Amino acid sequence: MKLSDIHTHFPEKSIADICIGSALADRPFSAEDSEQQAFFSLRHDIPFSFGIHPWQAAYMENNFEDALVQLESLFLKYKNSPMGEIGLDSCKPNLPMQKIIFERQLTVAAKINCPAIVLHCVKAFHLLPPILERFRKKNNTADIIIHGFCGSVQEVQKLSRYDVYFSFSEKLLKLSRKTASAVAAVPANRLLTETDMAAPETLQGALQQVSSIRQQNLDDCAAHIFSNAEQIIKNVRK
């Protein structure tokens, strides 16, 4: 049985056959810091997503242009890298600024034809449809992944119009009945698993929960999820 971890902050510890690494957001964004965090991934041919996290964007003022220039420089240096994690988090301050920086990053993603985008969204799913609508008019080929999805069945249905993937972690599935219900509503070809900041072995827990909720054989469920992740990785490595 092959495992896929579509979003992890610790790729060096991953037990997955394929994964996408991402930088931590506990410090201000800088290209230099992102490169340092990506060092292991880049040496081991593991895709690493670069982006300004909404937690970082929440504390930026109007002087974010330099950060965007730095971000674009990373994509020029590490071609075809995924972008992420970017998005919106209403639990953090300055949501209007988060939104501006999120949309500006999507403009960069459209400009460079970014193959994959990892989104962070907390209690702001109602803001995503118009943003994704505008992005899809510019780029209808990028794989969009909503990591750590914690929305409802209705939000799955609304967001599926924009050809997004939904990624689930063990922690969120345990904490939220709403999220567990959403798992069953996700099309099989749009389903993913992740560890995020948790221990590597939680990937197996997430897979077991997803297969149980969907009333699907564990091996069959793992195969579907791995196939989805493999397609994303193929697009990143074109």
Side-chain angles (χ1 to χ4, degrees), residues 51-169:
I52 302 170
H53 194 288
W55 295 359
Q56 296 167 320
Y59 298 99
M60 288 183 175
E61 300 300 333
N62 291 322
N63 58 343
F64 57 83
E65 296 293 344
D66 179 61
L68 289 169
V69 170
Q70 289 186 55
L71 177 64
E72 193 164 352
S73 73
L74 288 171
F75 289 103
L76 291 173
K77 187 173 182 178
Y78 304 108
K79 300 193 182 296
N80 231 41
S81 291
M83 178 178 283
E85 59 186 290
I86 66 173
L88 302 167
D89 192 327
S90 67
C91 294
K92 296 292 180 180
N94 214 349
L95 193 60
M97 180 58 70
Q98 291 183 45
K99 188 171 179 289
I100 290 169
I101 295 173
F102 177 34
E103 295 207 61
R104 287 289 299 275
Q105 289 183 94
L106 288 177
T107 298
V108 172
K111 174 184 173 182
I112 64 173
N113 200 27
C114 189
I117 302 168
V118 181
L119 300 187
H120 171 112
C121 190
V122 175
K123 296 183 179 180
F125 289 112
H126 62 290
L127 297 175
L128 282 184
I131 295 173
L132 295 181
E133 180 79 31
R134 289 190 288 273
F135 176 73
R136 281 305 191 199
K137 288 179 180 178
K138 301 174 185 177
N139 185 312
N140 62 3
T141 61
D143 292 320
I144 299 176
I145 303 149
I146 303 179
H147 105 81
F149 185 74
C150 54
S152 65
V153 170
Q154 292 74 23
E155 285 161 338
V156 167
Q157 293 167 343
K158 288 178 183 178
L159 293 168
S160 290
R161 299 170 190 167
Y162 307 102
D163 295 326
V164 304
Y165 289 89
F166 301 87
S167 181
F168 297 91
S169 68

